[in-house]
Amino acid sequence: MSDENGTPDTPAGLDGPRPEPLRFFGTTWVDHDGGYALRRAGVAVGALAATTAACLVLRFAYQGLAVADIGGFVNLLVVVMFAVCSALAFRTTWEGFSKRPDPDRQASLRGLLTIGFVGTLVAYFFRTLTEAPGEKLHRAEYETARQRYEKRSTRRTGNPAKKRRRT
């Protein structure tokens, strides 16, 4: 392995596309080796534990609002805000696993996604039950790049400098 992400060394003479490492998985998603299943289980458990902890923190915050007796309308607004932001964060994160997100849109949604962090954690949990988050997207891109590389490299046969001239 060439680095801490588990990216395999490229053997001499064999160039080509290299898989893009995924967060928490490195490049183990390519062949499902190097503790891939254990990493998926760990990410699922971690995401679920973080979601639980986040919900407890939000509950304490809500109880703080109730103790402050700021009114039912503000309490309702806070609950609706976190619910809507979490739903939007879930959807945005889930869609990000299957297609590359638009950087400008991501930048404009950064605050909303920060408030709805619970939705992002839930999306990570559910995705790790079937695959590494983003694996399908990265696999499709990697396979396309490998096919293009194979097509380019098999088209060339021999050294063009040694080619015989036709008379």
Side-chain angles (χ1 to χ4, degrees):
M1 298 294 160
S2 65
D3 61 17
E4 67 278 353
N5 290 327
T7 306
D9 287 324
T10 304
L14 292 179
D15 295 329
R18 296 179 71 177
E20 186 178 340
L22 292 175
R23 182 182 296 153
F24 305 121
F25 294 92
T27 56
T28 61
W29 61 268
V30 176
D31 296 321
H32 292 185
D33 60 353
Y36 171 80
L38 189 60
R39 289 177 189 219
R40 258 186 50 202
V43 169
V45 168
L48 190 60
T51 302
T52 304
C55 287
L56 286 174
V57 168
L58 290 176
R59 179 175 178 233
F60 291 139
Y62 181 78
Q63 285 178 342
L65 291 174
V67 168
D69 195 28
I70 57 174
F73 181 69
V74 174
N75 285 343
L76 179 67
L77 282 178
V78 168
V79 169
V80 169
M81 176 196 62
F82 274 106
V84 168
C85 290
S86 292
L88 289 172
F90 178 88
R91 192 190 87 215
T92 304
T93 304
W94 193 263
E95 288 174 352
F97 294 144
S98 59
K99 64 179 182 175
R100 293 276 178 182
D102 178 31
D104 294 332
R105 183 172 184 262
Q106 285 295 106
S108 66
L109 291 176
R110 186 170 293 136
L112 187 104
L113 296 176
T114 303
I115 294 169
F117 66 98
V118 173
T120 300
L121 294 170
V122 171
Y124 259 86
F125 170 72
F126 282 124
R127 182 56 83 161
T128 56
L129 296 178
T130 57
E131 67 175 9
E135 178 181 345
K136 187 182 286 185
L137 171 67
H138 285 81
R139 186 170 302 282
E141 291 174 350
Y142 179 63
E143 292 299 323
T144 302
R146 294 230 11 112
Q147 287 172 355
R148 276 195 225 129
Y149 175 76
E150 292 297 323
K151 188 176 180 183
R152 278 194 323 259
S153 63
T154 56
R155 209 177 331 160
R156 298 183 210 134
T157 57
N159 186 350
K162 292 182 180 179
K163 201 177 210 181
R164 288 190 220 176
R165 296 185 186 243
R166 296 184 184 183
T167 54

